[in-house]
């Protein structure tokens, strides 16, 4: 660990204007500082993203309109509750739902939505979460809908009760049931389909929530799950909507959104206090939805299809390499290129091939989710046109 003295010594070798967060920023006039290569300065390795907009790789890049809104908010004072009220109201009106709130992401939405179902607007209960001893603490979920993000629900202190059939679900409902939870991507895997699941919630007067996190675009999904009968729907802001990485939305029933707000920052003694979203991000989220609604997403599909075909063409001349275009569901049906190679000539596992690409110059990262055996994939959502040639060259060097 660096001690304070050596830290300050290091700082003193930099000029005042290059110190992040320096007081100089307050005194300086509003002008664009010279472009700095921050990552290089601090030793963060650049790479070509031939994978996807994974959270682990920083998600999608924000729309410029989002950054403009954030810059606007940066310069102004606002009462956070008033901003949340106004942005929530505007979001609900443009999306076409009863109520909306900006959260710290889909996972936060799931925690706050669950807490809302437990506490309503009861201040005493809000203070207790996630210690649910003696409270409603069961959430019913189809076994096939358990997944790596359901921790967002469990954060609120609840236990999952896993069921497989309608009969099992109906038998599982009791006075401790606080919510029914559904994961959009696993609709096909469960016996109880989306609309029937929502209807079961209505029948038993238990609120229902769906994780629709990365199912946008298409933008219609923002209201579709609620129209199908769900009471709450959770979405990410930093994926297809290209808002701030650490923002998202919880949409749905007015009373539940009100309760979720009370479980959230700026209220201090709440489960949501650690999920605060800045004024810049709250406004940025609104700008993201507004801009996304005007954006023709088919342009992205055309671009990615062109890139995938171009890469396939260029790889086709290399000995032993074959390719196939696929549309993985986990990636919202975006085109991916599957790449196969002659294992007898190049006996590399997928992991070894990925490692070679990652450790090469330039570093290249490829998809690691949803792969089949013995294939490498390339995704073009984050790939730039001028990165295609070096990508093809490196794949050739590693595999051919
Ligand atoms: C990304 C993702 C989440 C988490 O969303 P955040 O906005 O990052 O919290 C939840 N569920 C699914 C299916 C996701 O893809």
């Amino acid at each position: 660990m660096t001690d304070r003295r050596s830290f300050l010594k290091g700082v003193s070798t930099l000029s005042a204007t290059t110190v992040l967060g320096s007081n100089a920023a307050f005194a300086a006039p509003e002008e664009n500082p010279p472009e700095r290569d921050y990552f290089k300065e601090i030793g963060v390795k650049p790479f070509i993203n031939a994978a996807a907009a994974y959270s682990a790789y920083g998600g999608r890049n924000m729309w410029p309109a989002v950054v403009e809104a954030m810059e606007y908010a940066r310069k102004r004072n606002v009462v956070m509750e008033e901003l949340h009220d106004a942005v929530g109201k505007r979001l609900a009106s443009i999306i076409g739902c009863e109520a909306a709130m900006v959260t710290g992401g889909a996972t936060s939405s799931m925690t706050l939505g669950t807490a809302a179902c437990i506490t309503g607007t009861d201040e005493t209960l809000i203070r207790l979460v996630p210690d649910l001893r003696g409270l409603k603490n069961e959430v019913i979920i189809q076994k096939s809908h358990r997944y790596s993000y359901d921790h967002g629900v469990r954060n609120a202190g609840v236990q999952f009760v896993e069921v497989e059939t309608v009969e099992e679900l109906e038998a599982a409902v009791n006075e401790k049931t606080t919510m029914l939870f559904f994961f959009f991507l696993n609709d096909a895997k469960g016996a109880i389909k989306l609309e029937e699941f929502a209807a079961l919630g209505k029948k038993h007067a238990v609120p229902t929530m769906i994780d629709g996190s990365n199912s946008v675009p298409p933008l219609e999904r923002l209201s579709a799950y609620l129209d199908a009968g769900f009471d709450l729907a959770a979405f990410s802001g930093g994926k297809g909507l290209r808002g701030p990485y650490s923002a998202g939305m919880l949409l749905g029933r007015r009373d539940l959104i009100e309760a979720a707000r009370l479980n959230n920052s700026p209220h201090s003694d709440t489960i949501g206090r650690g999920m605060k979203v800045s004024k810049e991000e709250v406004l940025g989220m609104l700008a993201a939805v507004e801009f996304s609604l005007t954006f023709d997403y088919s342009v992205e599909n055309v671009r990615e299809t062109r890139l995938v075909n171009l890469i396939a063409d260029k790889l086709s001349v290399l000995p032993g390499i074959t390719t196939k275009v696929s549309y993985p569901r986990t990636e919202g049906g975006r085109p991916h290129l599957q790449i196969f190679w002659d294992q007898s000539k190049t006996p590399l596992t997928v992991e070894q091939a990925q490692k070679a690409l990652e450790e090469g110059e330039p570093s290249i990262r490829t998809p690691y989710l949803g792969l089949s055996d013995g294939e490498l994939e390339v995704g073009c959502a984050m790939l730039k046109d001028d990165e295609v040639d070096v990508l093809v060259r490196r794949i050739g060097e590693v595999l051919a």
Side-chain angles (χ1 to χ4, degrees), residues 142-147 164 182-193 329-330:
Q142 294 185 80
K143 203 171 185 172
S144 53
H145 285 229
R146 292 298 309 271
Y147 69 124
E164 288 184 83
F182 195 94
F183 174 35
F184 86 95
L185 199 58
N186 287 9
D187 192 14
K189 290 190 187 164
I192 315 173
K193 302 303 177 203
R329 250 164 37 87
T330 44

